[in-house]
Amino acid sequence: MKHFEANFDGLVGPTHNYAGLSFGNVASLSNAAQAANPKAAAKQGLQKAKALADMGMVQGMLAPQERPDLHTLRRIGFSGTDKEVLQKAAEQAPAVLRACCSASSMWTANAATVSPSADTHDGRVHFTPANLVDKLHRSIEPQTTGNILKAIFSDSRYFVHHQHLPEHSSFGDEGAANHTRLCQEYGHAGVEVFVYGQEATNPQAIKPKKFPARQTLEASQAIARLHRLDEDNTVFIQQNPEVIDQGVFHNDVIAVGNRNVLFHHEQAFVDTKTKLAEIRAKLEGDVHFIEVPTAKVSIQDAVKSYLFNTQLLSMSDGKMVIIAPTDCAENPAVKTYLDELLTLDTPIQKVEYFDVKQSMQNGGGPACLRLRVAMNDAELAAINQHVLLDDSLFTRLNAWVDKHYRDRLLPADLADPQLIIESRTALDELTQIMKLGSVYQFQR
Ligand SMILES: NCCC[C@H](NC(=O)CCC(=O)O)C(=O)O
């Protein structure tokens, strides 16, 4: 039986725009109100995903969500035809309308937390969609995320789907962006590392002062229980509140792991020494902690370049490659660091740069765009095969984007009722291409 890590990238939706919705996310705020290019955004994402498929990785795509989200607007009292709902919301609650139009489901690292069958008690792969309660525009994602995941991982012999956690700040959950699985081999039981921003029910516990800590310890513990993980294969680490206050709104902006490698910034965690020792003790065998010192890469450079929001992938020869945004090559300190890293004796032997700037300008790098699912052959054979990216799906999706997407979108355009029609037409066609059934409310 072969074991590997599959990546499921979020296809950027037709309403991709810069609305400045994410307080605490530096890029989102600083690019607010700029013109976005949804067509280019979708194509940049597809290019990256296809390059990984061409490298021999198992690569799938996850469908975007239905936006504008008219159902949420109706739920809060806007009524009439779709066009009337949109226009009333634009007049009376423009900020809510912007939240209901975000294409933020493209960052599938926040879609769910996934525990592979090698780690769980019942030997099945467990999924819990993230409730994303910290941000209005993201809190409306989990239901449809669950529908899409169930439409792909539908075989209950292999896959278990949990409901998202209670929708309260005590259980703030941002999914796999705060979860890293380390292991010796993908098919061996690993150590699941949960990184949280605050302990919500303990008023004495330290937390950031300026920006929100989106993930709570309570949420991470609940996921570990639901996924039936053991104490000896879980580690809970607090993220350094000082770096959250400098724009590190998810752990995947400051650390990334793959197999027995954890690549992280010196300032990423609280109690680093003890916690890394705990990982070492629980994960038997070789472990590489590659710690990047502040003297070489400042927090500011890490946040700007997304050095840690990279994908760390194992190639067929066992060596690892970093999939980085081109922003890393453009940042002198980071480029110097990466060039030096390749000369060191670590498993990381290669860096590949990709232009994902449309996503980066909203604070989403290569790692944000993908949800990892470690699987085996039998599990892969049991999923919906129509989401797996090969030459044919790549060609079809590019043609689909060309046909339906705009190349310029401003927050002011979100009140255009034509966008509802364009978006629904596109998504309806997409569910046929990917054979997802009726995952959207407008199809039900
Ligand atoms: N993992 C990366 C997530 C990025 C995402 N950005 C946004 O939602 C920005 C949307 C906007 O401002 O239009 C977030 O902050 O959750």
Side-chain angles (χ1 to χ4, degrees):
M1 182 92 71
K2 258 178 45 198
H3 294 83
F4 44 85
E5 176 187 282
N7 282 277
F8 290 84
D9 278 42
L11 193 47
V12 177
T15 62
H16 161 65
N17 74 99
Y18 301 119
L21 300 174
S22 279
F23 177 63
N25 167 344
V26 179
S28 154
L29 287 217
S30 58
N31 292 305
Q34 280 204 26
N37 184 336
K39 188 179 279 185
K43 291 197 158 195
Q44 287 174 353
L46 279 166
Q47 284 293 351
K48 174 191 77 95
K50 182 60 164 56
L52 267 57
D54 290 345
M55 284 165 64
M57 310 285 163
V58 178
Q59 178 69 55
M61 298 303 297
L62 297 180
Q65 302 216 351
E66 175 188 350
R67 298 289 182 268
D69 179 357
L70 276 296
H71 311 278
T72 296
L73 293 174
R74 289 184 187 280
R75 190 174 155 198
I76 57 168
F78 292 109
S79 59
T81 61
D82 287 346
K83 188 174 167 180
E84 284 162 357
V85 167
L86 203 64
Q87 279 164 356
K88 284 182 202 167
E91 278 161 33
Q92 296 168 33
V96 178
L97 175 64
R98 286 195 290 276
C100 288
C101 291
S102 177
S104 54
S105 66
M106 65 201 257
W107 299 297
T108 53
N110 310 114
T113 306
V114 184
S115 295
S117 55
D119 293 354
T120 63
H121 261 217
D122 61 356
R124 292 189 290 172
V125 185
H126 286 241
F127 296 84
T128 302
N131 61 22
L132 298 166
V133 288
D134 188 63
K135 299 280 179 270
L136 174 60
H137 69 291
R138 306 222 59 182
S139 69
I140 53 179
E141 294 177 28
Q143 188 62 45
T144 303
T145 297
N147 294 346
I148 292 170
L149 291 174
K150 284 178 199 158
I152 297 172
F153 303 93
S154 56
D155 192 328
S156 60
R157 286 175 302 169
Y158 298 106
F159 308 112
V160 187
H161 296 271
H162 302 282
Q163 194 189 349
H164 58 274
L165 297 179
E167 292 151 16
H168 182 267
S169 55
S170 296
F171 287 104
D173 177 21
E174 300 274 323
N178 295 317
H179 172 259
T180 307
R181 175 183 189 249
L182 301 176
C183 60
Q184 296 298 346
E185 301 279 345
Y186 291 121
H188 295 176
V191 170
E192 298 202 13
V193 180
F194 291 85
V195 183
Y196 61 93
Q198 65 168 321
E199 198 179 331
T201 54
N202 175 4
Q204 261 79 56
I206 53 161
K207 59 176 185 191
K209 295 187 176 75
K210 191 169 150 205
F211 291 148
R214 298 198 203 179
Q215 180 86 31
T216 69
L217 171 62
E218 291 81 349
S220 298
Q221 288 170 330
I223 302 279
R225 269 191 301 274
L226 285 165
H227 291 196
R228 307 186 60 183
L229 305 175
D230 273 335
E231 213 183 294
D232 35 302
N233 66 353
T234 48
V235 176
F236 298 89
I237 308 183
Q238 181 165 9
Q239 206 187 336
N240 181 356
E242 283 167 28
V243 302
I244 296 181
D245 279 340
Q246 292 169 69
V248 182
F249 57 98
H250 286 141
N251 176 61
D252 68 1
V253 178
I254 198 87
V256 58
N258 174 52
R259 291 188 59 172
N260 60 352
V261 175
L262 183 65
F263 178 56
H264 67 97
H265 193 274
E266 178 185 9
Q267 295 186 59
F269 313 118
V270 169
D271 215 4
T272 311
K273 242 180 134 173
T274 319
K275 288 297 169 180
L276 297 190
E278 187 182 339
I279 294 176
R280 203 181 278 286
K282 290 182 174 175
L283 187 74
E284 287 147 25
D286 253 9
V287 190
H288 305 263
F289 296 120
I290 305 175
E291 183 172 289
V292 182
T294 310
K296 291 196 171 153
V297 177
S298 66
I299 297 296
Q300 204 193 3
D301 280 337
V303 170
K304 243 181 136 163
S305 68
Y306 267 35
L307 168 61
F308 299 95
N309 200 266
T310 43
Q311 291 177 258
L312 191 54
L313 303 173
S314 294
M315 299 180 286
S316 49
D317 59 6
K319 292 180 182 148
M320 295 191 195
V321 54
I322 288 188
I323 305 297
T326 42
D327 308 66
C328 285
E330 291 155 10
N331 180 304
V334 170
K335 179 68 168 59
T336 304
Y337 176 80
L338 281 170
D339 288 344
E340 186 195 316
L341 176 64
L342 298 187
T343 67
L344 305 178
D345 183 25
T346 82
I348 303 174
Q349 294 292 321
K350 204 172 167 188
V351 181
E352 299 262 7
Y353 297 96
F354 288 87
D355 178 0
V356 288
K357 283 196 191 294
Q358 284 288 323
S359 168
M360 284 289 286
Q361 288 173 43
N362 252 338
C368 292
L369 287 162
R370 61 92 170 95
L371 181 67
R372 298 192 268 191
V373 186
M375 295 201 275
N376 61 38
D377 287 334
E379 290 157 353
L380 180 63
I383 77 166
N384 173 347
Q385 303 294 303
H386 303 280
V387 304
L388 295 174
L389 194 65
D390 54 12
D391 290 343
S392 141
L393 183 62
F394 179 70
T395 307
R396 270 188 100 177
L397 290 178
N398 274 295
W400 171 83
V401 169
D402 280 329
K403 180 170 158 199
H404 297 287
Y405 281 50
R406 299 187 186 189
D407 57 13
R408 185 178 157 85
L409 198 65
L410 285 161
D413 300 327
L414 301 173
D416 176 2
Q418 187 58 30
L419 200 58
I420 307 176
I421 299 166
E422 285 171 26
S423 171
R424 286 185 178 170
T425 308
L427 294 183
D428 201 44
E429 198 177 305
L430 183 67
T431 53
Q432 292 164 43
I433 296 174
M434 293 178 134
K435 305 228 186 310
L436 295 173
S438 302
V439 288
Y440 301 116
Q441 294 212 39
F442 77 86
Q443 297 174 312
R444 294 185 165 195

